[in-house]
Amino acid sequence: MASLFPSQTDDAADMPELSEINVTPFIDVMLVLLIIFMVVSPLATVDLKIDLPAASAKPEPRPDKALFVSLKADRSLYLGETAVARAQLGSLLDAQTGGDRQRTLFFQADKQAAYEDVLGVMDALRQAGYLKVGLVGREGE
C-alpha cells in the first residue's frame, strides 16, 4: 500500500549530517543585552554628598601591641602618640615594627580631616609596604 507522504527516512539518508551550531540567535541576544547594559550602566552610579554614620559593628578586642597611625584635622600625623612627618612615616614604621610589613596597622582620622589627606596617608602606608591597614571608627550610639 502506497503512502500519501514520502518516506522521511529515505530523504534523511541522502542528506549529509549538519554538525555546525547556529549561533545567530545567541549573537542577537548578546547584542540586545549589550545595548541594555550600555543604557542602564550610567544610571547605576550615584554621586551624592553624604555624612557617613558611625560604625554599628561590635568592636574587636584591641591587640596587645597595636600600632596606631593618626591624622588630626590640622593635617598633623602621629605614630602612636609621637608626631611624625609624612616623609619619615615609612622609616619610623620600619623601626617600630622591626621591618615586619605583615603587621596590621590601625589608621584613624579626624572627622574634619580632608579626604585627600586621608588618602595621602593611606598611599604613604602603601608605598612603605604596609598593606594591612585597619580603619578605626568611633562606636555607634
Side-chain angles (χ1 to χ4, degrees):
M1 177 171 203
S3 173
L4 294 175
F5 300 105
S7 172
Q8 293 181 357
T9 57
D10 295 336
D11 291 338
D14 295 338
M15 295 180 64
E17 278 189 32
L18 186 62
S19 62
E20 296 179 15
I21 298 173
N22 185 5
V23 294
T24 304
F26 177 70
I27 293 173
D28 291 343
V29 169
M30 294 303 291
L31 288 175
V32 169
L33 288 174
L34 176 67
I35 291 170
I36 289 172
F37 285 125
M38 287 172 56
V39 170
V40 173
S41 64
L43 302 175
T45 58
V46 179
D47 293 327
L48 296 176
K49 293 182 180 180
I50 56 172
D51 185 20
L52 296 176
S56 61
K58 288 186 176 183
E60 293 290 323
R62 182 179 284 193
D64 293 336
K65 293 184 178 181
L67 189 57
F68 284 89
V69 177
S70 305
L71 178 67
K72 288 192 166 186
D74 62 356
R75 300 179 71 181
S76 58
L77 187 62
Y78 289 83
L79 181 58
E81 295 181 5
T82 307
V84 297
R86 196 171 294 187
Q88 298 173 338
L89 183 62
S91 60
L92 291 174
L93 279 171
D94 286 340
Q96 287 278 333
T97 63
D100 180 17
R101 292 196 167 107
Q102 296 301 316
R103 184 169 172 188
T104 301
L105 303 177
F106 295 95
F107 178 53
Q108 56 189 1
D110 191 277
K111 186 176 181 179
Q112 302 300 320
Y115 187 67
E116 67 180 326
D117 294 332
V118 172
L119 287 181
V121 173
M122 294 289 290
D123 191 46
L125 292 172
R126 183 187 57 79
Q127 287 178 354
Y130 292 91
L131 302 178
K132 292 185 176 185
V133 178
L135 299 177
V136 179
R138 64 181 172 89
E139 293 181 27
E141 285 117 26

